[in-house]
Amino acid sequence: QCPWGAPNTTSISCSLADVMSEQLAKELQLEEENAAFPEVVAVAEGPFITGENVDTSSDLMLAQMLQMEFDREYDAQLRREEKKINGDSKVSISFENYRKLHPYDSDSSEDEVDWQDTRHDPYRAAKPTTTPRKGFIGKGKDITTKHDEVVCGRKNTARMENFAPEFQVGDGIGMDLKLSNQVFNALKQHAYSEERRSARLHEKKEHSTAEKAVDPKTRLLLYKMVNSGMLETITGCISTGKESVVFHAYGGKSATEDKVIPPECAIKVFKTTLNEFKNRDKYIKDDYRFKDRFSKLNPRKIIRMWAEKEMHNLTRMQNAGIPCPQVVILKKHVLVMSFIGQDQVPAPKLKDVTLSSEDMKKAYYQVLNMMQQLYKECNLVHADLSEYNMLWHDGKVWLIDVSQSVEPTHPHGLEFLFRDCRNVSQFFQKVGVAEALNERQLFNAVSGFNITADNEVDFQAEIEALEKMNEDHVQNHGKKLSMFSSDGDPPIYDE
Ligand code: ADP
Ligand code: MN
């Protein structure tokens, strides 16, 4: 529907004066803008991307970046040639039409601002005195109403300059251009359709970068990874969470011989918007591995530490042989790891997969085993273990999402472990694994403690007492209590 279509004469009948009144113009403007820019429909985003809806727009983004770079070089070359040909001749030849870059492709679109906000709005009279209330200026024969053809024409010309900045209106300054309403309206319509086009492109770009989670700096980091050949292509977003965005990528070639890049990679980008991390302070603040550093760091660096922590924890798990993503590289707040899944389709979470009771039982014993390994061999408590952070792939369970994992001696480590146990027990009991231990039995089985309380409240109280004991010991002796490495194995440090 054309916003400038024929007016509905049956419902609206008003005088020409009314039509031309500023008041009505304002209203029409609003109406028209609403029609031209309807609310952007949010794209529903599932946690998983299946084969049908794989988002390849970030691939597109990269292609665009490369194209832009090429175009920029091309234009620069063109400019040089233009200069050479023209020299200081009075008549010059313009190569404008051969340029590659459409104005809205330029870098400035990055920090695009609403032109209506920053520029003079032609519909909000800047100088209300030019056309006084009574609708005319001058006296007697020289009287000029605001509907005067010349005034209107000049005004229209002035308005034209307030079209979107990327819309070329030419240089009419000093020419006393007078646009008729008809011409003005036609131009305006064109300007809007151009702007809509640009808005669509822009919107696409926004979605490809997963709801602005990837800021220009991150984009550059990713771009460099592709540019260096380490990654072949970044195909799209797998997941956008509160704290991170995960992308899929095809691996490329490693710069060094000894390192092999997996054919498919997952890129976890820790969000640099800080507020989401506030409630995670407790995981890292009290982790003595990071304690000394924590106080000295600014928030941006703390976010990098989450990525770093995930890397270290994954490495520990890898060394213990626990199925988990393999770390490829860490760059600032961006962690590249092997992709669990195939052909861009991530392995399903345990909560989403339908398994035979045989497989489910197998999965349960594997999880029990992994929890023990994690505790004893890696000296870690997952601290966010649930069917959401376990993937089913290749007939086994893979653990992911370990940025918040802590050592058992963390002041709340045992509480975290108990919570993990509760999640795991409840899940496997729900899906009908008869052998599944309850959360208290599981806690003892994993930690090696023998807490006998048979109800949750007492059990938790004992856990907290244990934590307190450990803390007191740290206060008095400055090191962790040996009871945590119950089987005598020294904790594994790889940092
Ligand atoms: P969050 O902190 O946002 O939960 P996760 O590490 O759990 O971050 O990743 C979010 C989702 O991304 C996971 O649930 C999983 O579906 C997917 N994902 C993360 N890492 C990988 C990986 N290495 N391979 C495949 N999918 C992954
Ligand atoms: Mn997760």
Side-chain angles (χ1 to χ4, degrees):
Q1 181 79 48
C2 169
W4 292 91
N8 193 343
T9 43
T10 49
S11 60
I12 305 169
S13 77
C14 50
S15 69
L16 180 66
D18 279 342
V19 173
M20 295 309 290
S21 87
E22 293 288 315
Q23 188 64 38
L24 194 62
K26 243 185 234 171
E27 275 166 30
L28 285 175
Q29 161 83 0
L30 252 174
E31 235 172 73
E32 182 191 303
E33 270 172 5
N34 288 343
F37 306 107
E39 290 278 316
V40 176
V41 184
V43 173
E45 242 180 319
F48 282 108
I49 286 173
T50 63
E52 297 93 61
N53 63 355
V54 171
D55 177 15
T56 53
S57 41
S58 57
D59 200 352
L60 177 74
M61 180 194 83
L62 286 164
Q64 279 171 341
M65 285 170 91
L66 287 169
Q67 184 67 50
M68 266 165 61
E69 220 154 83
F70 173 83
D71 289 350
R72 209 171 283 134
E73 267 167 43
Y74 179 87
D75 284 356
Q77 177 62 24
L78 213 60
R79 228 168 285 130
R80 278 193 292 275
E81 270 173 40
E82 206 177 12
K83 214 168 164 187
K84 206 166 107 193
I85 287 179
N86 288 331
D88 23 45
S89 153
K90 282 202 172 114
V91 183
S92 63
I93 300 165
S94 168
F95 286 5
E96 186 61 44
N97 291 343
Y98 297 98
R99 298 240 157 91
K100 292 271 193 189
L101 278 186
H102 199 276
Y104 58 64
D105 282 341
S106 70
D107 272 347
S108 62
S109 67
E110 208 68 86
D111 36 35
E112 219 168 69
V113 276
D114 193 346
W115 62 281
Q116 288 278 13
D117 291 336
T118 53
R119 290 168 186 234
H120 164 61
D121 179 352
Y123 294 94
R124 210 177 297 129
K127 284 180 234 135
T129 48
T130 46
T131 309
R133 264 278 150 84
K134 55 188 173 180
F136 58 89
I137 40 174
K139 270 184 196 163
K141 234 170 55 166
D142 295 328
I143 192 162
T144 332
T145 74
K146 65 180 167 191
H147 309 307
D148 180 275
E149 208 186 314
V150 175
V151 172
C152 235
R154 288 204 182 112
K155 210 184 241 166
N156 283 342
T157 306
R159 283 170 182 174
M160 187 178 70
E161 290 186 32
N162 282 285
F163 288 157
E166 55 269 12
F167 184 71
Q168 301 275 349
V169 289
D171 184 7
I173 295 164
M175 287 167 72
D176 195 21
L177 261 176
K178 292 174 280 290
L179 288 181
S180 73
N181 281 344
Q182 199 188 353
V183 172
F184 173 74
N185 287 343
L187 271 171
K188 190 175 174 187
Q189 158 114 52
H190 181 64
Y192 271 164
S193 59
E194 273 288 285
E195 207 182 343
R196 274 202 299 273
R197 206 156 76 99
S198 161
R200 268 202 305 275
L201 269 173
H202 194 68
E203 187 191 329
K204 213 167 169 181
K205 220 162 82 187
E206 286 305 329
H207 281 294
S208 75
T209 55
E211 312 289 336
K212 298 180 198 163
V214 176
D215 52 33
K217 279 193 189 113
T218 309
R219 217 173 304 170
L220 198 65
L221 260 175
L222 298 179
Y223 178 50
K224 277 183 187 162
M225 287 179 183
V226 174
N227 224 10
S228 72
M230 196 197 84
L231 296 177
E232 184 73 38
T233 45
I234 298 172
T235 63
C237 172
I238 305 168
S239 147
T240 59
K242 270 206 312 229
E243 289 132 5
S244 72
V245 184
V246 180
F247 295 97
H248 171 275
Y250 284 109
K253 280 185 224 64
S254 170
T256 51
E257 289 287 307
D258 56 316
K259 203 167 173 182
V260 184
I261 312 273
E264 287 184 78
C265 295
I267 308 170
K268 188 165 176 177
V269 177
F270 288 76
K271 281 196 185 177
T272 44
T273 43
L274 306 167
N275 44 352
E276 279 93 357
F277 280 91
K278 270 193 203 132
N279 58 353
R280 296 184 77 181
D281 272 8
K282 65 167 188 271
Y283 290 98
I284 210 162
K285 234 187 207 148
D286 298 332
D287 188 328
Y288 74 91
R289 291 182 292 172
F290 296 90
K291 214 164 198 160
D292 296 338
R293 296 163 62 190
F294 191 81
S295 54
K296 297 182 202 120
L297 294 174
N298 66 34
R300 191 167 282 279
K301 286 199 178 137
I302 290 170
I303 281 149
R304 283 189 201 171
M305 252 160 78
W306 285 106
E308 195 187 313
K309 217 172 156 208
E310 175 131 32
M311 177 188 71
H312 286 310
N313 291 342
L314 281 175
T315 309
R316 281 193 194 188
M317 289 159 73
Q318 198 77 41
N319 290 342
I322 295 173
C324 68
Q326 192 189 338
V327 174
V328 177
I329 201 168
L330 172 77
K331 280 253 190 292
K332 295 182 177 169
H333 57 288
V334 175
L335 179 66
V336 182
M337 56 190 148
S338 65
F339 180 71
I340 314 300
Q342 211 188 348
D343 299 330
Q344 297 184 35
V345 184
K349 296 178 180 113
L350 214 50
K351 79 164 180 87
D352 291 323
V353 81
T354 348
L355 296 181
S356 65
S357 54
E358 193 81 345
D359 274 342
M360 207 41 113
K361 191 172 135 185
K362 200 174 115 191
Y364 171 71
Y365 280 112
Q366 197 207 327
V367 170
L368 172 62
N369 238 312
M370 288 194 294
M371 287 178 83
Q372 289 173 328
Q373 271 183 296
L374 199 59
Y375 189 93
K376 296 205 172 82
E377 293 171 40
C378 308
N379 197 33
L380 283 175
V381 169
H382 187 290
D384 193 18
L385 192 64
S386 74
E387 59 273 29
Y388 288 82
N389 283 329
M390 296 191 266
L391 306 183
W392 181 256
H393 179 66
D394 247 1
K396 61 184 172 199
V397 179
W398 298 65
L399 298 188
I400 58 160
D401 201 0
V402 290
S403 62
Q404 73 293 314
S405 301
V406 295
E407 297 196 344
T409 49
H410 180 287
H412 302 288
L414 296 182
E415 287 165 80
F416 296 152
L417 177 63
F418 189 52
R419 195 178 58 194
D420 284 355
C421 289
R422 186 161 45 214
N423 291 337
V424 168
S425 284
Q426 280 175 358
F427 172 74
F428 283 104
Q429 280 169 352
K430 194 183 79 196
V431 296
V433 177
E435 293 85 349
L437 301 173
N438 70 36
E439 61 243 45
R440 295 183 300 278
Q441 294 166 326
L442 186 58
F443 180 92
N444 284 337
V446 170
S447 65
F449 287 112
N450 189 20
I451 300 176
T452 49
D454 61 353
N455 67 79
E456 177 130 4
V457 177
D458 293 345
F459 202 91
Q460 221 145 13
E462 285 202 44
I463 286 175
E464 277 163 40
L466 278 171
E467 286 176 341
K468 178 100 189 0
M469 229 159 83
N470 185 57
E471 271 311 284
D472 292 345
H473 185 87
V474 172
Q475 298 272 310
N476 299 334
H477 299 84
K479 66 178 203 260
K480 300 280 167 177
L481 214 50
S482 60
M483 68 176 180
F484 282 97
S485 44
S486 45
D487 52 5
D489 284 339
I492 295 161
Y493 298 102
D494 59 357
E495 285 134 72

